[in-house]
Coordinates of all heavy atoms in Angstrom, one line a residue:
M9 N 70.8 -20.2 56.5 CA 69.6 -19.4 56.2 C 68.5 -20.4 55.8 O 68.8 -21.3 55.1 CB 69.9 -18.5 55.0 CG 70.1 -17.1 55.3 SD 70.3 -16.1 53.8 CE 70.0 -14.6 54.5
T10 N 67.3 -20.1 56.2 CA 66.2 -20.9 55.8 C 65.7 -20.4 54.5 O 66.0 -19.3 54.0 CB 65.1 -20.8 56.9 OG1 64.6 -19.5 56.9 CG2 65.6 -21.2 58.3
N11 N 64.8 -21.2 53.9 CA 64.2 -20.8 52.6 C 63.4 -19.5 52.8 O 63.4 -18.7 51.9 CB 63.3 -21.9 52.1 CG 64.0 -23.1 51.5 OD1 65.2 -23.0 51.1 ND2 63.4 -24.2 51.5
L12 N 62.7 -19.4 53.9 CA 61.9 -18.2 54.1 C 62.8 -17.0 54.2 O 62.5 -15.9 53.8 CB 61.0 -18.3 55.3 CG 59.7 -19.0 55.0 CD1 58.9 -19.2 56.3 CD2 58.8 -18.2 54.0
E13 N 64.0 -17.1 54.9 CA 64.9 -16.0 55.0 C 65.3 -15.6 53.6 O 65.4 -14.4 53.3 CB 66.1 -16.4 55.8 CG 65.9 -16.4 57.3 CD 67.1 -16.8 58.0 OE1 67.4 -18.1 58.0 OE2 67.8 -16.0 58.6
L14 N 65.6 -16.5 52.7 CA 66.1 -16.2 51.4 C 64.9 -15.5 50.6 O 65.2 -14.5 49.9 CB 66.5 -17.5 50.6 CG 67.8 -18.1 51.2 CD1 68.0 -19.5 50.5 CD2 69.0 -17.2 50.9
V15 N 63.7 -16.0 50.8 CA 62.6 -15.4 50.1 C 62.3 -14.0 50.5 O 62.1 -13.1 49.7 CB 61.3 -16.3 50.2 CG1 60.1 -15.6 49.8 CG2 61.5 -17.6 49.5
L16 N 62.4 -13.8 51.8 CA 62.2 -12.4 52.3 C 63.3 -11.5 51.9 O 63.1 -10.3 51.6 CB 62.1 -12.5 53.9 CG 60.9 -13.1 54.4 CD1 60.9 -13.3 55.9 CD2 59.6 -12.2 54.0
N17 N 64.6 -12.0 51.8 CA 65.7 -11.2 51.3 C 65.4 -10.8 49.8 O 65.5 -9.6 49.4 CB 67.0 -11.9 51.4 CG 68.2 -11.1 51.0 OD1 68.2 -9.9 51.3 ND2 69.1 -11.7 50.4
M18 N 64.9 -11.8 49.0 CA 64.5 -11.5 47.6 C 63.4 -10.5 47.5 O 63.4 -9.6 46.7 CB 64.2 -12.8 46.9 CG 65.4 -13.7 46.7 SD 64.9 -15.4 46.1 CE 64.0 -15.0 44.7
L19 N 62.4 -10.6 48.4 CA 61.3 -9.7 48.5 C 61.8 -8.3 48.7 O 61.4 -7.3 48.1 CB 60.3 -10.1 49.5 CG 59.1 -9.1 49.8 CD1 58.3 -9.0 48.5 CD2 58.3 -9.5 51.0
A20 N 62.7 -8.1 49.7 CA 63.2 -6.8 50.0 C 64.0 -6.2 48.8 O 63.8 -5.0 48.5 CB 64.2 -6.9 51.2
E21 N 64.8 -7.0 48.2 CA 65.5 -6.5 47.0 C 64.6 -6.2 45.8 O 64.8 -5.1 45.2 CB 66.5 -7.6 46.6 CG 67.7 -7.8 47.5 CD 68.6 -8.9 47.2 OE1 68.4 -9.5 46.1 OE2 69.5 -9.2 47.9
A22 N 63.6 -7.0 45.5 CA 62.7 -6.8 44.4 C 61.9 -5.6 44.7 O 61.6 -4.7 43.8 CB 61.9 -8.0 44.2
T23 N 61.4 -5.4 45.9 CA 60.6 -4.3 46.3 C 61.4 -3.0 46.2 O 60.9 -2.0 45.6 CB 60.0 -4.5 47.7 OG1 59.3 -5.7 47.8 CG2 59.1 -3.3 48.1
T24 N 62.6 -3.0 46.7 CA 63.5 -1.9 46.6 C 63.7 -1.5 45.1 O 63.7 -0.3 44.8 CB 64.8 -2.1 47.3 OG1 64.5 -2.4 48.7 CG2 65.7 -0.9 47.2
T25 N 63.9 -2.4 44.3 CA 64.2 -2.2 42.9 C 62.9 -1.5 42.2 O 63.1 -0.5 41.5 CB 64.5 -3.5 42.1 OG1 65.7 -4.0 42.7 CG2 64.7 -3.2 40.6
E26 N 61.8 -2.0 42.5 CA 60.5 -1.5 41.9 C 60.3 -0.1 42.4 O 59.9 0.8 41.6 CB 59.3 -2.4 42.3 CG 59.4 -3.7 41.5 CD 59.4 -3.5 40.0 OE1 58.6 -2.7 39.4 OE2 60.3 -4.2 39.4
I27 N 60.5 0.2 43.7 CA 60.3 1.5 44.3 C 61.3 2.5 43.6 O 60.9 3.6 43.2 CB 60.4 1.5 45.8 CG1 59.3 0.7 46.5 CG2 60.4 3.0 46.3 CD1 59.5 0.5 47.9
S28 N 62.5 2.0 43.5 CA 63.6 2.8 42.9 C 63.2 3.2 41.4 O 63.5 4.3 41.0 CB 64.9 2.1 43.0 OG 65.9 2.9 42.5
K29 N 62.7 2.2 40.7 CA 62.3 2.5 39.3 C 61.2 3.6 39.2 O 61.2 4.4 38.3 CB 61.8 1.2 38.6 CG 62.9 0.2 38.3 CD 62.2 -1.0 37.6 CE 63.2 -2.1 37.3 NZ 62.6 -3.3 36.8
E30 N 60.3 3.6 40.1 CA 59.2 4.6 40.1 C 59.7 5.9 40.6 O 59.3 6.9 40.0 CB 58.1 4.1 40.9 CG 57.3 2.9 40.4 CD 56.7 3.1 39.0 OE1 56.1 4.2 38.8 OE2 56.9 2.3 38.1
K31 N 60.5 6.0 41.7 CA 60.9 7.2 42.3 C 62.1 7.9 41.6 O 62.3 9.1 41.8 CB 61.2 7.0 43.8 CG 60.0 6.4 44.5 CD 59.3 7.4 45.4 CE 58.2 6.7 46.1 NZ 57.5 7.5 47.1
K32 N 62.9 7.1 41.0 CA 64.1 7.6 40.3 C 64.9 8.5 41.2 O 65.1 9.7 41.0 CB 63.7 8.3 39.0 CG 63.1 7.4 38.0 CD 62.7 8.1 36.7 CE 62.1 7.3 35.7 NZ 61.0 6.4 36.0
P33 N 65.5 7.9 42.2 CA 66.3 8.7 43.2 C 67.5 9.3 42.5 O 68.1 8.8 41.6 CB 66.7 7.7 44.3 CG 66.7 6.4 43.5 CD 65.6 6.5 42.5
K34 N 67.9 10.5 43.0 CA 69.0 11.3 42.5 C 70.2 11.3 43.4 O 71.3 11.7 43.0 CB 68.6 12.7 42.2 CG 67.3 12.8 41.3 CD 67.7 12.6 39.8 CE 66.5 13.0 39.0 NZ 65.9 11.9 38.3
S35 N 70.0 10.9 44.6 CA 71.2 11.0 45.6 C 71.3 9.7 46.4 O 70.3 8.9 46.5 CB 70.9 12.2 46.5 OG 69.8 12.0 47.4
A36 N 72.4 9.6 47.1 CA 72.6 8.5 48.0 C 71.6 8.4 49.1 O 71.1 7.4 49.5 CB 74.0 8.5 48.5
S37 N 71.2 9.6 49.6 CA 70.3 9.6 50.7 C 68.9 9.2 50.3 O 68.2 8.5 51.0 CB 70.2 11.0 51.4 OG 69.8 12.0 50.5
Q38 N 68.5 9.5 49.0 CA 67.2 9.1 48.5 C 67.3 7.6 48.3 O 66.3 6.9 48.5 CB 66.9 9.8 47.2 CG 66.6 11.3 47.4 CD 66.4 12.0 46.1 OE1 67.0 11.6 45.0 NE2 65.7 13.1 46.1
N39 N 68.4 7.0 47.8 CA 68.5 5.6 47.6 C 68.4 4.9 48.9 O 67.8 3.8 49.0 CB 69.9 5.3 46.9 CG 69.8 5.4 45.4 OD1 68.9 4.7 44.8 ND2 70.7 6.1 44.8
R40 N 69.1 5.4 49.9 CA 69.1 4.8 51.3 C 67.6 4.8 51.8 O 67.2 3.8 52.4 CB 70.0 5.6 52.2 CG 70.3 5.0 53.5 CD 71.4 5.7 54.3 NE 71.7 7.1 54.0 CZ 72.7 7.5 53.3 NH1 73.6 6.7 52.8 NH2 72.9 8.8 53.1
E41 N 66.8 5.8 51.6 CA 65.5 5.9 52.1 C 64.6 4.8 51.3 O 63.8 4.1 52.0 CB 64.9 7.3 51.8 CG 63.5 7.4 52.3 CD 63.3 7.1 53.8 OE1 64.2 7.4 54.6 OE2 62.2 6.5 54.2
I42 N 64.8 4.6 50.1 CA 64.1 3.6 49.3 C 64.5 2.2 49.8 O 63.6 1.4 49.9 CB 64.4 3.8 47.8 CG1 63.6 5.1 47.3 CG2 63.9 2.6 47.0 CD1 64.0 5.5 45.9
A43 N 65.8 2.0 50.1 CA 66.2 0.7 50.6 C 65.6 0.4 51.9 O 65.1 -0.7 52.2 CB 67.7 0.7 50.7
K44 N 65.4 1.4 52.8 CA 64.7 1.2 54.0 C 63.3 0.8 53.8 O 62.7 0.0 54.5 CB 64.8 2.5 54.9 CG 66.1 2.8 55.5 CD 66.1 4.1 56.3 CE 67.5 4.4 56.8 NZ 67.4 5.7 57.6
Q45 N 62.6 1.5 52.8 CA 61.2 1.1 52.6 C 61.1 -0.3 52.1 O 60.2 -1.0 52.6 CB 60.7 2.1 51.5 CG 60.5 3.5 51.9 CD 60.2 4.4 50.8 OE1 59.9 4.0 49.7 NE2 60.2 5.7 51.1
G46 N 62.0 -0.8 51.2 CA 62.0 -2.2 50.8 C 62.2 -3.1 51.9 O 61.5 -4.1 52.1
G47 N 63.1 -2.8 52.8 CA 63.4 -3.6 54.0 C 62.3 -3.6 55.0 O 62.0 -4.7 55.6
E48 N 61.6 -2.5 55.1 CA 60.5 -2.4 56.0 C 59.3 -3.3 55.5 O 58.7 -4.0 56.3 CB 60.0 -1.0 56.1 CG 58.9 -0.7 57.1 CD 58.5 0.7 57.1 OE1 59.4 1.5 57.5 OE2 57.3 1.1 56.9
I49 N 59.1 -3.3 54.2 CA 58.0 -4.2 53.7 C 58.3 -5.7 54.0 O 57.5 -6.4 54.4 CB 57.8 -3.9 52.2 CG1 57.2 -2.6 52.0 CG2 57.0 -5.0 51.5 CD1 57.3 -2.1 50.6
A50 N 59.6 -6.1 53.7 CA 60.0 -7.5 54.0 C 59.9 -7.7 55.5 O 59.5 -8.8 55.9 CB 61.4 -7.7 53.5
G51 N 60.3 -6.8 56.3 CA 60.3 -6.9 57.8 C 58.9 -7.1 58.3 O 58.6 -8.0 59.2
N52 N 58.0 -6.3 57.7 CA 56.6 -6.5 58.1 C 56.0 -7.9 57.7 O 55.3 -8.5 58.5 CB 55.7 -5.4 57.5 CG 56.0 -4.0 58.1 OD1 56.5 -3.9 59.2 ND2 55.7 -3.0 57.4
T53 N 56.4 -8.3 56.6 CA 56.0 -9.6 56.1 C 56.5 -10.7 57.0 O 55.8 -11.6 57.4 CB 56.5 -9.9 54.6 OG1 56.0 -8.8 53.8 CG2 56.0 -11.2 54.1
R54 N 57.8 -10.6 57.4 CA 58.4 -11.6 58.3 C 57.6 -11.6 59.6 O 57.3 -12.7 60.1 CB 59.8 -11.2 58.6 CG 60.5 -12.1 59.7 CD 61.9 -11.7 60.0 NE 61.9 -10.4 60.6 CZ 61.7 -10.1 61.9 NH1 61.4 -11.0 62.8 NH2 61.8 -8.8 62.3
K55 N 57.3 -10.4 60.2 CA 56.5 -10.4 61.5 C 55.2 -11.0 61.3 O 54.7 -11.7 62.2 CB 56.4 -8.9 61.9 CG 57.7 -8.4 62.4 CD 57.6 -6.9 62.6 CE 59.0 -6.3 62.9 NZ 59.0 -4.8 62.9
E56 N 54.5 -10.8 60.2 CA 53.2 -11.4 60.0 C 53.3 -13.0 59.9 O 52.5 -13.7 60.5 CB 52.5 -10.9 58.7 CG 51.9 -9.5 58.9 CD 51.1 -9.2 57.7 OE1 50.2 -10.0 57.2 OE2 51.3 -8.1 57.1
I57 N 54.3 -13.5 59.2 CA 54.5 -14.9 59.1 C 54.8 -15.5 60.5 O 54.2 -16.5 60.9 CB 55.6 -15.2 58.1 CG1 55.2 -14.9 56.7 CG2 55.9 -16.7 58.2 CD1 56.3 -14.9 55.7
E58 N 55.6 -14.8 61.2 CA 56.0 -15.3 62.6 C 54.8 -15.3 63.5 O 54.6 -16.2 64.3 CB 57.1 -14.5 63.2 CG 58.5 -14.7 62.5 CD 59.6 -13.9 63.0 OE1 59.3 -12.8 63.6 OE2 60.7 -14.2 62.8
A59 N 53.9 -14.3 63.4 CA 52.7 -14.2 64.2 C 51.7 -15.4 63.8 O 51.1 -16.0 64.7 CB 52.0 -12.9 64.0
K60 N 51.6 -15.7 62.6 CA 50.7 -16.7 62.1 C 51.2 -18.1 62.5 O 50.5 -19.0 62.8 CB 50.4 -16.7 60.6 CG 49.8 -15.4 60.2 CD 48.4 -15.4 60.5 CE 47.8 -14.1 59.9 NZ 46.4 -13.8 60.3
T61 N 52.6 -18.3 62.3 CA 53.1 -19.7 62.6 C 53.6 -19.9 64.0 O 53.7 -21.0 64.4 CB 54.3 -19.9 61.6 OG1 55.4 -19.0 62.0 CG2 53.9 -19.8 60.2
G62 N 53.9 -18.8 64.7 CA 54.4 -19.0 66.1 C 55.9 -19.3 66.1 O 56.4 -19.7 67.1
K63 N 56.5 -19.3 64.9 CA 58.0 -19.6 64.8 C 58.8 -18.5 64.3 O 58.3 -17.7 63.6 CB 58.2 -20.8 63.9 CG 57.5 -22.1 64.2 CD 58.0 -23.1 63.1 CE 56.9 -24.1 62.9 NZ 57.3 -25.0 61.8
N64 N 60.0 -18.4 64.8 CA 61.0 -17.4 64.3 C 61.4 -17.8 62.9 O 61.7 -19.0 62.6 CB 62.2 -17.3 65.2 CG 61.9 -16.6 66.5 OD1 61.0 -15.8 66.6 ND2 62.7 -16.9 67.5
I65 N 61.5 -16.9 62.0 CA 62.0 -17.1 60.7 C 63.5 -17.0 60.6 O 64.1 -17.8 59.9 CB 61.3 -16.1 59.7 CG1 59.8 -16.3 59.7 CG2 62.0 -16.2 58.3 CD1 59.1 -16.4 58.5
V66 N 64.0 -16.1 61.3 CA 65.5 -15.9 61.2 C 66.2 -16.9 62.0 O 65.8 -17.2 63.2 CB 65.9 -14.5 61.8 CG1 67.4 -14.3 61.8 CG2 65.2 -13.4 60.9
S67 N 67.1 -17.6 61.4 CA 67.8 -18.7 62.1 C 69.3 -18.3 62.3 O 69.8 -17.4 61.6 CB 67.7 -20.0 61.3 OG 68.6 -19.9 60.1
P68 N 69.9 -19.0 63.2 CA 71.4 -18.7 63.4 C 72.2 -19.4 62.3 O 73.4 -19.1 62.3 CB 71.7 -19.4 64.8 CG 70.6 -20.4 64.9 CD 69.4 -19.9 64.2
R69 N 71.6 -20.2 61.5 CA 72.4 -20.8 60.4 C 72.7 -19.8 59.4 O 72.0 -18.9 59.1 CB 71.6 -21.9 59.8 CG 71.2 -23.0 60.8 CD 70.4 -24.1 60.1 NE 69.3 -23.7 59.2 CZ 68.6 -24.5 58.5 NH1 68.8 -25.7 58.5 NH2 67.6 -24.0 57.7
N70 N 73.9 -20.0 58.8 CA 74.3 -19.2 57.6 C 74.9 -20.0 56.6 O 75.2 -21.2 56.8 CB 75.2 -18.0 58.1 CG 76.6 -18.5 58.6 OD1 77.1 -19.5 58.1 ND2 77.1 -17.8 59.6
A71 N 75.2 -19.5 55.4 CA 75.7 -20.3 54.3 C 77.0 -21.0 54.6 O 77.2 -22.1 54.2 CB 75.8 -19.4 53.1
K72 N 77.9 -20.3 55.3 CA 79.2 -20.9 55.6 C 79.0 -22.2 56.5 O 79.6 -23.2 56.2 CB 80.0 -19.9 56.4 CG 81.4 -20.3 56.6 CD 82.2 -19.2 57.2 CE 83.7 -19.6 57.5 NZ 84.5 -18.6 58.1
V73 N 78.2 -22.1 57.5 CA 77.9 -23.2 58.4 C 77.2 -24.4 57.6 O 77.6 -25.5 57.7 CB 77.1 -22.8 59.6 CG1 76.6 -24.0 60.4 CG2 77.8 -21.8 60.5
L74 N 76.2 -24.0 56.8 CA 75.5 -25.0 56.0 C 76.5 -25.7 55.0 O 76.4 -26.9 54.8 CB 74.4 -24.4 55.3 CG 73.2 -23.9 56.2 CD1 72.2 -23.2 55.3 CD2 72.6 -25.1 56.9
K75 N 77.3 -25.0 54.4 CA 78.3 -25.5 53.4 C 79.2 -26.5 54.1 O 79.5 -27.6 53.6 CB 79.0 -24.5 52.7 CG 80.0 -25.0 51.6 CD 80.2 -24.0 50.5 CE 81.2 -24.5 49.5 NZ 80.6 -25.4 48.5
A76 N 79.7 -26.1 55.3 CA 80.6 -27.0 56.0 C 79.9 -28.3 56.4 O 80.5 -29.4 56.3 CB 81.1 -26.3 57.3
A77 N 78.6 -28.2 56.8 CA 77.9 -29.4 57.2 C 77.6 -30.3 56.0 O 77.8 -31.5 56.0 CB 76.6 -29.0 57.8
Q78 N 77.4 -29.7 54.8 CA 77.1 -30.4 53.6 C 78.4 -31.1 53.1 O 78.4 -32.3 52.7 CB 76.6 -29.5 52.5 CG 76.1 -30.1 51.3 CD 75.6 -29.1 50.3 OE1 76.1 -28.0 50.2 NE2 74.5 -29.5 49.6
T79 N 79.5 -30.4 53.2 CA 80.8 -31.0 52.8 C 81.1 -32.2 53.7 O 81.6 -33.2 53.2 CB 81.9 -29.9 52.9 OG1 81.6 -28.8 52.1 CG2 83.3 -30.5 52.5
K80 N 80.9 -32.1 55.0 CA 81.1 -33.1 56.0 C 80.3 -34.4 55.6 O 80.8 -35.5 55.6 CB 80.8 -32.7 57.4 CG 81.2 -33.8 58.4 CD 80.9 -33.2 59.8 CE 81.4 -34.2 60.9 NZ 80.6 -35.4 61.0
R81 N 79.0 -34.2 55.3 CA 78.2 -35.3 54.9 C 78.7 -36.0 53.6 O 78.6 -37.2 53.5 CB 76.7 -34.8 54.6 CG 75.8 -34.9 55.8 CD 74.4 -34.6 55.5 NE 74.4 -33.2 55.3 CZ 73.4 -32.5 54.8 NH1 72.3 -33.1 54.6 NH2 73.5 -31.2 54.7
I82 N 79.1 -35.2 52.7 CA 79.6 -35.8 51.4 C 80.9 -36.6 51.7 O 81.0 -37.7 51.2 CB 80.0 -34.7 50.4 CG1 78.7 -34.0 50.0 CG2 80.8 -35.2 49.2 CD1 78.9 -32.8 49.1
K83 N 81.7 -36.2 52.6 CA 83.0 -36.9 52.9 C 82.7 -38.2 53.7 O 83.3 -39.2 53.6 CB 83.9 -36.0 53.7 CG 84.6 -35.0 52.9 CD 85.5 -34.1 53.7 CE 86.2 -33.0 52.9 NZ 87.0 -32.2 53.7
D84 N 81.6 -38.1 54.5 CA 81.2 -39.3 55.4 C 80.6 -40.3 54.5 O 80.6 -41.3 54.1 CB 80.3 -38.9 56.5 CG 80.9 -38.0 57.5 OD1 82.2 -38.0 57.6 OD2 80.2 -37.4 58.3

């Protein structure tokens, strides 16, 4: 994961939390709708960044692969 991927994930979570605090959902379906809204905001932000930079933000790297590479470097 890149730094921007992590930041966008944090944005989605924080936004969802704030919307949830204001709307005070009572059911799972209401919570799901709020989660979609938080994800949509982060998704729109990602698309804007990609449009401005011309680069994809989402990478094929994940924490497991990065940790393995880091461990290999430490051993070498």
Side-chain angles (χ1 to χ4, degrees):
M9 254 185 166
T10 66
N11 285 339
L12 277 174
E13 284 178 285
L14 292 171
V15 169
L16 289 171
N17 187 35
M18 290 169 56
L19 174 64
E21 290 175 3
T23 303
T24 299
T25 299
E26 289 303 311
I27 294 170
S28 184
K29 285 179 184 177
E30 292 299 316
K31 303 256 179 170
K32 296 179 179 50
K34 305 280 189 249
S35 66
S37 63
Q38 290 174 335
N39 275 306
R40 195 170 19 258
E41 182 58 35
I42 289 170
K44 285 181 185 179
Q45 292 172 10
E48 184 177 302
I49 290 168
N52 290 339
T53 303
R54 176 186 59 84
K55 289 173 189 169
E56 282 190 51
I57 294 168
E58 288 176 342
K60 299 283 184 190
T61 64
K63 296 185 212 173
N64 288 333
I65 298 227
V66 178
S67 73
R69 300 182 313 174
N70 63 37
K72 186 176 179 181
V73 172
L74 291 174
K75 182 155 179 78
Q78 189 177 36
T79 302
K80 184 178 185 290
R81 265 188 291 176
I82 292 171
K83 287 180 181 179
D84 292 344

